[in-house]
């Protein structure tokens, strides 16, 4: 039988890495924490703890930040989706971070377009947490940083090698003799990055929590997918479930599935073993396993369900 607890990463057990990325010493970004929950993630640090290393077709991670701490401008080759678990967050994008922005609150979700630099900042009054889904088993092959981020990092002792490994001179690290620093993006590469306006992005890439609660009154709300609110085929699909969205009967999926509660407590059963999921927990259900999920007590209850698809992990906006 499946040991169900081996499939669950508890919010309270998450192990942060404070040196995951090149801006770990840059003032304004030096207090952020990175979490790799399922899959290898995109951390550049050997200190990053991976909770469940299984390759399931997409990656699950999280970012935690105190108020007024930001994640620097970067992009990925595949989809990057965030939903806000705790706090209030400002997301911004563009070469200099001023092409557009949106403020998201708890439960809101953002399927960030590929091909643009993006960053985010906790603008709440307490420690905040955003949960992430990244496309592909290798999460798109890592992170691409805006040139100013690499330059600022070097001023504070951090250098990213061409091998994708971070070297910290404050710890006595030096680049190996056969490894060069990661080169800055050329003007030609930078010109390929988009500068969409807020009006371009919001209608097609953001879904609000209370709208999803309403839409999931009698069935799951399709959030990201070929026929979903946010039309996309990034190699996974996202549904939103609330109290009356699905029955308590056991069922199976032919793809790997992850459950991520936002509010309330959910009883989950996998192959006959039961446990309870709480907000911030992450649960992996493998393809073909009989399972069920239902609220375990009264009150508000909501969760995001992510399932792999047969589509390749590609660029955002890939629906014809």
């Amino acid at each position: 039988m499946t040991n169900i607890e081996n499939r669950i990463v508890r919010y309270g057990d998450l192990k942060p890495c404070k040196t995951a990325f090149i801006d770990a010493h840059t003032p304004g970004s030096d207090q952020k924490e990175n979490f790799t929950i399922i899959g290898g993630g995109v951390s550049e640090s050997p200190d990053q703890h991976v909770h469940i290393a299984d390759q399931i077709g997409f990656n699950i991670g999280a970012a935690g930040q105190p108020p007024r701490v930001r994640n620097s401008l970067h992009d990925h080759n595949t989809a990057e989706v965030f939903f806000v678990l705790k706090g209030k967050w400002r997301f911004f994008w563009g070469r200099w971070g001023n092409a557009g922005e949106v403020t998201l609150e708890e439960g809101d979700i953002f399927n960030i377009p590929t091909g643009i630099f993006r960053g985010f900042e906790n603008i709440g009054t307490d420690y905040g947490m955003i949960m992430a889904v990244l496309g592909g088993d290798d999460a798109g092959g890592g992170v691409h940083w805006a040139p100013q981020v690499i330059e600022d990092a070097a001023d504070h002792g951090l250098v990213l090698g061409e091998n994708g490994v971070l070297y910290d001179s404050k710890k006595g690290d030096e680049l190996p003799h056969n490894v060069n620093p990661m080169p800055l993006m050329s003007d030609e590469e930078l010109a390929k990055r988009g500068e969409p306006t807020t009006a371009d992005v919001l209608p097609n890439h953001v879904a609000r929590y209370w709208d999803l609660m309403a839409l999931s009154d009698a069935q799951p709300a399709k959030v990201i997918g070929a026929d979903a609110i946010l039309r996309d085929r990034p190699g996974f699909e996202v549904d939103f479930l609330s109290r009356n969205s699905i029955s308590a009967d056991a069922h199976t999926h032919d793809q790997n599935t992850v459950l991520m509660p936002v509010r309330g407590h959910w009883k989950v059963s996998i192959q006959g073993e039961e446990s309870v999921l709480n907000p911030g927990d992450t649960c992996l259900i493998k393809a073909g396993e009989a399972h069920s999920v239902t609220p375990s007590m009264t009150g508000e209850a909501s969760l995001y369900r992510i399932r792999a698809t047969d589509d390749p992990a590609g660029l955002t906006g890939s629906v014809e």
Side-chain angles (χ1 to χ4, degrees):
M1 293 198 46
T2 300
N3 184 344
I4 193 171
E5 292 302 325
N6 290 339
R7 301 290 189 81
I8 299 172
V9 180
R10 302 291 182 185
Y11 180 77
D13 293 334
L14 287 172
K15 295 181 180 180
C17 180
K18 296 186 178 181
T19 58
F21 298 113
I22 195 170
D23 58 348
H25 293 332
T26 303
S29 299
D30 54 346
Q31 297 180 64
K32 65 180 185 175
E33 298 180 325
N34 186 71
F35 304 88
T36 299
I37 301 174
I38 301 177
V42 291
S43 173
E44 297 159 349
S45 171
D47 299 330
Q48 181 72 61
H49 177 78
V50 178
H51 287 269
I52 296 177
D54 297 35
Q55 293 189 340
I56 61 170
F58 54 90
N59 279 243
I60 300 292
Q65 296 170 199
R68 298 300 169 185
V69 170
R70 66 171 53 191
N71 190 297
S72 302
L73 290 164
H74 65 282
D75 76 357
H76 299 276
N77 293 328
T78 61
E80 183 176 45
V81 172
F82 287 107
F83 74 82
V84 177
L85 181 70
K86 293 179 180 291
K88 186 176 183 179
W89 293 75
R90 181 177 75 93
F91 291 81
F92 49 92
W93 58 86
R95 171 68 175 85
W96 300 101
N98 57 7
E101 66 174 66
V102 61
T103 297
L104 301 187
E105 300 190 87
E106 293 180 3
D108 296 345
I109 191 168
F110 188 9
N111 180 27
I112 303 178
T114 49
I116 64 172
F117 289 119
R118 79 290 306 271
F120 41 87
E121 177 185 13
N122 177 3
I123 60 172
T125 58
D126 199 357
Y127 184 90
M129 180 74 83
I130 50 178
M131 311 301 286
V133 187
L134 291 161
D137 285 324
D138 67 349
V143 182
H144 308 290
W145 297 99
Q148 67 270 24
V149 177
I150 296 177
E151 293 170 338
D152 289 346
D155 291 339
H156 295 90
L158 283 174
V159 176
L160 183 63
E162 279 186 321
N163 56 357
V165 176
L166 199 58
Y167 298 90
D168 187 349
S169 64
K170 292 185 177 181
K171 294 183 177 180
D173 293 346
E174 294 182 357
L175 283 172
H177 72 278
N178 59 340
V179 176
N180 293 317
M182 184 71 72
L184 299 180
M185 282 191 184
S186 66
D187 289 341
E188 182 180 3
E189 290 174 315
L190 290 170
K192 297 177 182 177
R193 266 65 190 178
E195 296 283 312
T197 67
T198 304
D200 295 328
V201 171
L202 258 61
N204 301 308
H205 296 275
V206 173
R208 301 289 185 176
Y209 178 77
W210 288 111
D211 291 340
L212 297 176
M213 285 291 286
L215 291 167
S216 62
D217 57 349
Q219 62 285 307
K222 296 181 179 181
V223 183
I224 298 174
D227 58 350
I229 299 165
L230 308 179
R231 296 184 67 238
D232 202 359
R233 300 176 70 172
F236 58 86
E237 59 187 13
V238 178
D239 297 330
F240 181 93
L241 279 61
S242 57
R243 178 167 297 280
N244 298 313
S245 296
I246 59 173
S247 76
D249 296 337
H251 57 282
T252 63
H253 299 301
D254 60 2
Q255 299 278 11
N256 295 312
T257 300
V258 170
L259 304 176
M260 304 181 74
V262 183
R263 302 260 176 92
H265 306 276
W266 293 78
K267 183 174 72 174
V268 61
S269 172
I270 304 176
Q271 301 287 89
E273 289 192 43
E274 292 186 353
S275 190
V276 173
L277 302 178
N278 308 303
D281 293 348
T282 301
C283 179
L284 170 62
I285 302 166
K286 294 190 175 181
E289 291 184 330
H291 65 279
S292 63
V293 59
T294 186
S296 63
M297 60 179 63
T298 58
E300 186 180 339
S302 55
L303 65 78
Y304 282 103
R305 180 177 66 187
I306 303 95
R307 288 184 289 186
T309 68
D310 292 328
D311 300 308
L315 300 178
T316 297
S318 55
V319 176
E320 295 296 331

